[in-house]
Amino acid sequence: MGEDKDTGVKVAVRCRPFNQREKDRGAKLIIDMNGAMTTIQNPETPNEEPKKFTFDFSYWSHDGFNEKDDGYLEAVPGSKYSSQRRVFDDLGQGVLDNAFKGFNCSLFAYGQTGSGKSYSMVGYGCNKGIVPITCDELFKAIEAGDPATKYEVTFSMLEIYNEQVRDLLSKDNPKGGLQVRQNPKLGLFYVVGLKKVAVGSYAEIDKRTQEGTANRTVASTNMNATSSRAHTVVTITFDQISKNEAGEETKKSSVINLVDLAGSERADSTGATGDRLKEGANINKSLSALGNVISALADLSSGGKKKVMVPYRDSVLTKLLQNALGGNSKTVMIAALSPADINYDETLGTLRYADRAKKIKNKAVVNENPLDKLIRELREENEKLKSQMGGAMPVAGGAGMDPGDGAYSKEEIERMRKEMEEEIRAQLLANQEQMNEMDESFEDKLKRNREEQEAMGAAQANTQDRKSKDPHLVNLNEDPMLSGVIFHFVEPGEMTIGRKDATPPPMISLTGLSISKQHAVITFENSEATVKPGEQGAKTKINGVPLTGPTTLQHLDRVLFGSNHMYVFHNPLNPKAPENTPTKIDWDFAQKEIAKHKGFDTASAGMSKEQIIAQEQILELLPMVSEVNAISEELNKHRTFEVILISGAAMEGYGSKKGAKVVVKMKNLLNGNTWLWERGKFMNRRYMIQELYQRHLDGDEDVMKIPKEEDPFWEPPEDVLIGTANVFLQSLSYALDFDDKLSVTDYKGVEEGNLYVNITPCSDKGKPLDEDFFVEDPQELLGKPFHYKVTIKSAEVNKAKYSKGLHVRYKVYQDEDFTSTPVIKATLSPEFKHHRIITYPAVNEDQLGYFEQGCITFQLFGVQEDSVNDNRLMKMTTKELRQMEQLQNPGMQRRQTISGEASEESKLRNELEVLKKKFERLEKKEKRIQDLCSEWKGKPVEEQQFEPFWRHVSAVANSSGNKLKTRVEILNTVIQSQKMTQEASAGGAQNGSNGSINSGAGSKACIIQ
């Protein structure tokens, strides 16, 4: 047996072109590559030095290519574009060469959903990926190989979803998936009962891959599984049988694992961290476990830690990849990178993941043994196992296993005995299966496989022939690889669609959520198809609109049966599509259409980065929410869910750096209690709900008796955000008060009540400033101390259900925590009488900007209790309650945006209040100026001196705030003094005074002084 020195995991990264959505929004490129180096630039800090990573290969496939007539992408001369062929030559050819030498080989692709993993691994059209090229080149090499050597190739294909293994070459998988067991001799894990087929050409592998993809599509649609969350593992076993110098037959064996990992997007970063049930979810469990295994292996390889436990057993994926990652294998990892600024965090995470993987060192050995020896060893092992089954079980009398010593009860010992028997029996079966495989000739296996394929091939050929002639439905899937795989042909007359347990059985059988027994009926006559509901309450949508009666299906119409069966109708007999229908319909288009009819804006022109992210999250969440609603109905959980868009200000208060946030509202249909779940928390719960539903399908009766604390549908009551009200602070920038009744509106813009609020400039003790105090220019406040008081007087709430308790909370400039009023119970008109003084020792530009542009968002909360108000509702099903809810709120989905952002109407109202206050102050000025004018006019002509009069009027006109009052008093004194002077002057003249008083400007100035 040959041995290779320690070799590191070979790591490559690849950057794809912008997709159409990224082009539409003018995405910025954050990735660059130069040789083996890859750099990533943080779009938020463009002046910072980019982060640098070095790998075995950095493949630039972002631009620098031309598309040939047949669709093949080739590099422009002189560009650094890496084609599919170049990637194979660097990575796939090495896998192939090592396989011929007898080494085990593994290649796995990692990256977030949509980053290009599947393109590198499988490819599209004539741009074939590593897997098909490797298979094709394998058989070319076999044909050119040594005629004296026998070559045997077997193929298997499996999927890991939610910790369950599905055989993709089998239509029937056991409930709970296939079992994964450990071979006690080799220490490696294997899948029990996985179908392995003998193949003799690349064409046969291609057909089996198509079969596996079709089975994967049907299974994921029926189970409502998200394909981006599934790992696909293709295993090719390559045996070379030849005679050694001694004339013995030896087998050189290589196992090639080609793994397309699930999307690596991190749920924790989107809010799942706060979920009470976080630990119970399988969301990304496999990838988290894989990350931990890679980190542990990297520590081992670096020699920094001597005792490192590698946690292979933490997930099904890491069990099956144990050999590939830390054992006898030549391993290659290709990490797919998204190039757009919007994906910076995820792409950086991928680069760091790949950087850790390159530190792993493996010791691969050539797997070569005499065939007779292999068979002999298997037989000997089986005899040992049989003898153990015969009674020599290490139970009684073993260390700590004696029932008498009290360490284990009889029940525990019996359970352990059964587990050990089961393990031994499974190993016996596995060994026997291996021996049977060796006994059956490869030629017989190949013949059996080809007979099976011939039958499938005839059906596939018939489908291809009918596509261009007969009307049909073809599936759509979020994974482009799984779209266009399922076909249902529409026959003349009536065709029924429904569940297979219907009587009579439907012509098109669908399985999954929200599929009724008699779901729909399609009638095809005179080249025209009509669809109608099969029974009341059956959920079908045509082009995003619920189907309520007979509707004509037009070419390229989108049809959604239940929650997850999405199809496009093709009618070759009448191929005229409605106006504005795109020639190519994809999953995104169909989901945008559904979102549009639910009231969401799907146009992206002129949107900010935050708005685009929100839109993408809405499109992502809508089908998930539909699915969870369907499970709620099926398990009768009395909950309904909807997607809403809520502003950062409404959630966090003023100063929140967060833009609009997409959240999911859960409502208890028995008592009206509601909860707002952040995206991450909802996705976390959704996977737990899927797991619960899968257990229900598997026949687990405990699902209906689950304690509420473990139920992902249950949440303890929490205060609910009734609505928000905004107060803009422009009045403070003029030192004016604000006093008003504010409308409290919920996320749909519906008025839920009123809030009475006062914001008043005050002294440091809270005493309001004099009524006449105000400044005309806000700049006058800079550098001076300023105090203002926030008063929440009272509220009026419309809905009686909120009488259990009400309170208000808010944040002002630079507050880290919310300020809350006490909870007022048993009233819909609470008197809060809340006061708070805010002090700025010296107003700066930022604080002044807050006054001029900012607002305080007041959040009104209601206390919720876990009780049922109407016992009659308990007798209704979830489906009935949801229908009643929709009838009571027919426009519930027309507007899904919370009015937490500063609305234009609120701003204008506030500006109007400020202008009114300023107007009142100016009116007073005008009145005083008019009084001065009247007095001046009433004077004798000889006393009407213009210059001093102009100074008095100017003083009033240019005054502001407290200066106004002071100057008016001075002017009044001036007027009085002038009168006195005139009287004295007149008296002096009468008394025969020698000099006359000069009543010019100089004397008046003296008097004023």
Side-chain angles (χ1 to χ4, degrees):
M1 184 177 284
E3 189 172 302
D4 194 34
K5 63 179 181 179
D6 287 5
T7 54
V9 171
K10 194 176 281 188
V11 178
V13 294
R14 191 178 190 190
C15 179
R16 64 163 171 79
F18 284 139
N19 60 33
Q20 194 55 52
R21 272 185 303 181
E22 289 162 349
K23 288 177 186 173
D24 290 345
R25 65 171 174 243
K28 290 177 184 170
L29 181 65
I30 56 170
I31 296 290
D32 194 17
M33 290 176 175
N34 187 10
M37 182 184 285
T38 295
T39 59
I40 181 169
Q41 179 70 61
N42 187 342
E44 302 296 328
T45 54
N47 296 325
E48 257 184 28
E49 186 76 15
K51 292 179 174 62
K52 296 174 182 177
F53 298 86
T54 303
F55 302 102
D56 294 286
F57 301 98
S58 288
Y59 294 119
W60 181 261
S61 298
H62 180 73
D63 57 16
F65 59 87
N66 284 327
E67 186 173 347
K68 294 171 74 175
D69 292 341
D70 61 357
Y72 184 74
L73 305 180
E74 64 176 3
V76 172
S79 76
K80 56 182 180 179
Y81 177 75
S82 295
S83 66
Q84 294 282 65
R85 187 72 208 190
R86 183 185 160 190
V87 174
F88 168 78
D89 289 343
D90 289 340
L91 305 178
Q93 189 62 54
V95 169
L96 208 53
D97 294 344
N98 285 319
F100 270 92
K101 290 174 187 173
F103 292 110
N104 290 338
C105 306
S106 300
L107 190 152
F108 58 100
Y110 178 89
Q112 73 178 111
T113 302
S115 60
K117 295 190 311 295
S118 297
Y119 180 76
S120 290
M121 290 294 280
V122 182
Y124 298 117
C126 61
N127 293 287
K128 295 190 185 307
I130 296 170
V131 175
I133 298 177
T134 301
C135 296
D136 193 17
E137 293 293 329
L138 173 66
F139 285 102
K140 285 179 183 175
I142 288 172
E143 283 175 23
D146 184 358
T149 302
K150 250 184 12 180
Y151 299 97
E152 297 178 356
V153 182
T154 59
F155 176 89
S156 68
M157 190 175 180
L158 64 84
E159 180 179 68
I160 303 167
Y161 183 82
N162 210 13
E163 288 299 282
Q164 293 189 4
V165 177
R166 291 207 297 264
D167 186 348
L168 294 180
L169 298 185
S170 172
K171 283 186 167 61
D172 300 312
N173 277 276
K175 286 184 176 181
L178 297 174
Q179 285 188 308
V180 175
R181 292 193 179 277
Q182 188 174 24
N183 183 316
K185 184 180 176 185
L186 301 175
L188 301 176
F189 293 90
Y190 64 95
V191 179
V192 179
L194 182 68
K195 185 174 180 178
K196 297 169 187 172
V197 295
V199 286
S201 68
Y202 165 64
E204 289 175 24
I205 284 186
D206 191 37
K207 284 176 184 171
R208 285 296 183 179
T209 304
Q210 288 177 30
E211 178 196 352
T213 303
N215 288 339
R216 182 183 172 205
T217 306
V218 172
S220 70
T221 308
N222 289 347
M223 289 174 61
N224 249 61
T226 309
S227 64
S228 62
R229 292 285 172 196
H231 314 285
T232 309
V233 182
V234 169
T235 304
I236 296 165
T237 306
F238 175 46
D239 294 334
Q240 303 168 78
I241 300 166
S242 58
K243 289 188 177 177
N244 61 16
E245 291 174 2
E248 293 177 309
E249 259 200 347
T250 62
K251 181 166 81 168
K252 196 187 282 184
S253 187
S254 171
V255 177
I256 307 169
N257 284 311
L258 303 164
V259 187
D260 191 354
L261 294 170
S264 63
E265 41 279 350
R266 299 162 298 157
D268 286 355
S269 64
T270 56
T273 45
D275 192 356
R276 67 184 178 87
L277 292 178
K278 179 177 178 261
E279 295 305 317
N282 277 333
I283 178 171
N284 265 350
K285 179 179 177 181
S286 296
L287 283 178
S288 299
L290 183 60
N292 295 336
V293 165
I294 286 174
S295 291
L297 288 170
D299 288 342
L300 269 177
S301 300
S302 66
K305 296 181 182 175
K306 289 184 179 178
K307 288 186 178 179
V308 178
M309 181 71 181
V310 183
Y312 292 116
R313 290 176 173 273
D314 284 1
S315 78
V316 169
L317 177 72
T318 47
K319 285 177 183 176
L320 296 180
L321 289 183
Q322 177 179 349
N323 216 26
L325 288 166
N328 174 23
S329 178
K330 298 267 195 176
T331 301
V332 177
M333 171 180 170
I334 182 163
L337 308 178
S338 297
D341 50 347
I342 205 166
N343 294 315
Y344 171 76
D345 290 334
E346 296 293 350
T347 302
L348 181 60
T350 300
L351 286 166
R352 285 175 172 159
Y353 203 97
D355 200 48
R356 284 207 305 273
K358 75 181 184 185
K359 295 171 185 169
I360 298 171
K361 296 277 190 293
N362 277 354
K363 186 169 282 189
V365 296
V366 173
N367 305 302
E368 188 169 16
N369 279 298
L371 274 172
D372 292 343
K373 182 187 171 191
L374 289 171
I375 294 168
R376 187 175 67 251
E377 284 177 350
L378 280 168
R379 283 188 178 138
E380 285 171 2
E381 190 183 348
N382 265 14
E383 289 306 314
K384 270 189 206 171
L385 292 167
K386 283 175 184 174
S387 67
Q388 286 182 335
M389 285 285 286
M393 297 277 286
V395 177
M401 300 293 283
D402 189 342
D405 66 10
Y408 294 96
S409 66
K410 285 183 179 179
E411 290 79 12
E412 285 175 314
I413 291 172
E414 188 56 35
R415 178 177 54 78
M416 285 188 279
R417 181 191 292 277
K418 282 182 180 174
E419 283 176 4
M420 291 176 78
E421 281 182 359
E422 196 179 319
E423 286 290 334
I424 292 169
R425 195 173 285 111
Q427 191 55 48
L428 269 169
L429 287 171
N431 288 352
Q432 193 60 51
E433 189 183 323
Q434 207 172 340
M435 286 192 290
N436 291 342
E437 277 186 19
M438 288 178 173
D439 289 341
E440 185 183 15
S441 72
F442 182 74
E443 287 70 22
D444 288 344
K445 293 177 195 171
L446 200 55
K447 184 182 175 187
R448 192 172 70 245
N449 171 45
R450 284 173 175 166
E451 285 171 356
E452 196 180 309
Q453 276 197 321
E454 275 177 26
M456 289 190 302
Q460 286 172 355
N462 184 42
T463 297
Q464 292 300 321
D465 185 50
R466 291 188 65 184
K467 274 189 342 187
S468 59
K469 297 186 293 188
D470 298 335
H472 58 274
L473 295 164
V474 60
N475 81 301
L476 274 184
N477 194 288
E478 63 174 331
D479 185 343
M481 298 289 295
L482 305 187
S483 286
V485 173
I486 303 171
F487 292 85
H488 294 297
F489 288 95
V490 178
E491 307 292 347
E494 278 198 351
M495 280 193 70
T496 52
I497 299 169
R499 294 207 312 254
K500 59 185 176 185
D501 59 344
T503 306
M507 298 169 78
I508 297 177
S509 176
L510 302 178
T511 306
L513 290 166
S514 300
I515 296 295
S516 305
K517 286 188 176 182
Q518 311 287 344
H519 196 89
V521 178
I522 295 179
T523 306
F524 189 71
E525 291 175 346
N526 303 321
S527 301
E528 189 173 274
T530 305
V531 62
K532 65 179 181 181
E535 61 181 64
Q536 191 175 1
K539 294 177 181 175
T540 301
K541 287 182 179 176
I542 310 296
N543 303 332
V545 181
L547 179 70
T548 53
T551 301
T552 301
L553 281 178
Q554 294 182 280
H555 184 57
L556 299 185
D557 273 356
R558 285 69 62 202
V559 186
L560 177 64
F561 298 113
S563 297
N564 207 41
H565 289 267
M566 178 74 79
Y567 293 90
V568 179
F569 176 67
H570 288 258
N571 189 356
L573 303 176
N574 187 6
K576 188 180 178 185
E579 199 176 341
N580 298 325
T581 302
T583 52
K584 187 182 177 186
I585 309 288
D586 60 12
W587 175 264
D588 279 353
F589 178 84
Q591 289 304 324
K592 278 186 178 181
E593 191 169 55
I594 292 170
K596 190 176 179 181
H597 286 283
K598 283 181 176 283
F600 291 104
D601 183 11
T602 58
S604 58
M607 281 189 172
S608 67
K609 179 182 171 183
E610 286 75 18
Q611 289 170 324
I612 289 164
I613 291 172
Q615 187 190 77
E616 289 185 358
Q617 289 179 353
I618 288 166
L619 294 175
E620 172 193 39
L621 287 173
L622 281 174
M624 296 181 186
V625 165
S626 173
E627 168 201 2
V628 170
N629 275 327
I631 295 175
S632 177
E633 286 185 8
E634 202 143 320
L635 299 182
N636 202 32
K637 290 292 183 179
H638 302 116
R639 299 290 186 275
T640 187
F641 298 79
E642 67 172 311
V643 179
I644 62 173
L645 192 62
I646 187 167
S647 74
M651 291 285 274
E652 305 286 339
Y654 176 81
S656 168
K657 302 292 182 188
K658 299 174 183 175
K661 185 182 288 186
V662 180
V663 296
V664 174
K665 184 174 91 167
M666 178 176 78
K667 182 174 183 178
N668 184 332
L669 295 166
L670 297 176
N671 58 20
N673 284 356
T674 60
W675 295 262
L676 294 181
W677 286 354
E678 291 193 21
R679 173 177 168 266
K681 181 172 179 177
F682 170 74
M683 291 177 82
N684 186 43
R685 289 297 180 92
R686 179 217 175 197
Y687 287 107
M688 298 179 70
I689 287 167
Q690 282 182 320
E691 202 173 353
L692 192 72
Y693 183 61
Q694 191 58 50
R695 283 171 54 194
H696 170 69
L697 293 179
D698 292 344
D700 186 346
E701 294 179 3
D702 291 338
V703 165
M704 306 311 285
K705 297 179 274 185
I706 186 171
K708 66 181 183 181
E709 290 80 13
E710 296 172 22
D711 189 346
F713 283 98
W714 185 81
E715 196 79 329
E718 58 187 43
D719 294 352
V720 63
L721 178 63
I722 298 169
T724 58
N726 296 302
V727 172
F728 292 87
L729 305 175
Q730 287 162 310
S731 58
L732 293 180
S733 62
Y734 296 96
L736 300 172
D737 67 325
F738 174 92
D739 191 286
D740 201 7
K741 177 176 82 170
L742 305 170
S743 291
V744 176
T745 54
D746 72 359
Y747 64 90
K748 295 173 187 169
V750 176
E751 190 171 306
E752 293 284 354
N754 297 302
L755 194 64
Y756 294 87
V757 174
N758 178 275
I759 312 284
T760 309
C762 63
S763 68
D764 59 345
K765 305 292 185 191
K767 183 182 178 184
L769 299 181
D770 193 286
E771 194 178 292
D772 291 329
F773 185 99
F774 92 112
V775 295
E776 283 194 1
D777 185 355
Q779 294 291 315
E780 290 181 41
L781 297 178
L782 287 173
K784 296 172 185 171
F786 191 84
H787 317 275
Y788 66 97
K789 182 160 68 174
V790 175
T791 303
I792 303 173
K793 299 177 181 176
S794 61
E796 292 171 356
V797 180
N798 300 339
K799 291 178 182 171
K801 68 176 182 177
Y802 296 126
S803 62
K804 298 182 181 78
L806 294 158
H807 69 97
V808 176
R809 72 175 196 180
Y810 64 93
K811 282 182 183 179
V812 299
Y813 180 69
Q814 290 188 325
D815 274 0
E816 288 187 10
D817 300 317
F818 282 99
T819 298
S820 292
T821 68
V823 176
I824 309 295
K825 296 186 176 182
T827 179
L828 291 175
S829 302
E831 296 283 338
F832 294 114
K833 299 176 183 175
H834 165 85
H835 306 284
R836 179 188 170 193
I837 298 169
I838 293 98
T839 295
Y840 299 137
V843 175
N844 59 34
E845 290 283 1
D846 288 344
Q847 290 159 345
L848 191 60
Y850 170 54
F851 290 165
E852 293 182 314
Q853 302 296 329
C855 71
I856 300 176
T857 299
F858 293 95
Q859 301 172 331
L860 179 62
F861 281 87
V863 173
Q864 298 186 126
E865 294 175 357
D866 199 2
S867 59
V868 178
N869 302 325
D870 187 347
N871 287 322
R872 289 173 300 177
L873 298 177
M874 292 290 291
K875 298 174 184 175
M876 297 176 71
T877 66
T878 303
K879 188 172 184 178
E880 290 166 342
L881 287 167
R882 288 191 72 235
Q883 287 171 344
M884 186 171 78
E885 173 93 355
Q886 285 162 3
L887 287 171
Q888 288 173 351
N889 303 290
M892 67 183 286
Q893 291 177 325
R894 285 300 99 202
R895 185 176 175 189
Q896 306 283 353
T897 310
I898 196 159
S899 54
E901 294 289 10
S903 69
E904 204 59 40
E905 185 186 344
S906 298
K907 264 186 178 170
L908 290 171
R909 280 186 60 195
N910 217 277
E911 281 182 21
L912 184 62
E913 285 300 313
V914 172
L915 289 171
K916 276 183 181 175
K917 293 274 170 66
K918 288 176 76 176
F919 179 69
E920 286 170 10
R921 301 289 194 272
L922 292 170
E923 259 191 333
K924 288 181 180 178
K925 273 191 184 186
E926 186 187 11
K927 178 73 170 60
R928 283 173 183 142
I929 290 170
Q930 284 175 348
D931 289 347
L932 283 173
C933 292
S934 297
E935 283 202 35
W936 187 72
K937 188 179 178 182
K939 291 178 184 177
V941 176
E942 62 275 9
E943 295 179 14
Q944 290 179 347
Q945 298 181 37
F946 181 76
E947 203 174 318
F949 167 72
W950 171 248
R951 281 203 308 275
H952 300 161
V953 171
S954 295
V956 175
N958 294 321
S959 68
S960 63
N962 58 347
K963 296 176 189 172
L964 175 65
K965 189 173 181 182
T966 307
R967 289 186 180 181
V968 167
E969 286 173 356
I970 289 171
L971 288 168
N972 282 333
T973 306
V974 168
I975 293 164
Q976 293 302 320
S977 300
Q978 199 170 8
K979 285 180 180 175
M980 287 169 60
T981 304
Q982 288 167 350
E983 286 169 4
S985 174
Q990 289 167 4
N991 292 330
S993 175
N994 292 327
S996 66
I997 298 226
N998 183 358
S999 58
S1003 63
K1004 285 175 191 157
C1006 291
I1007 292 165
I1008 292 170
Q1009 288 168 4

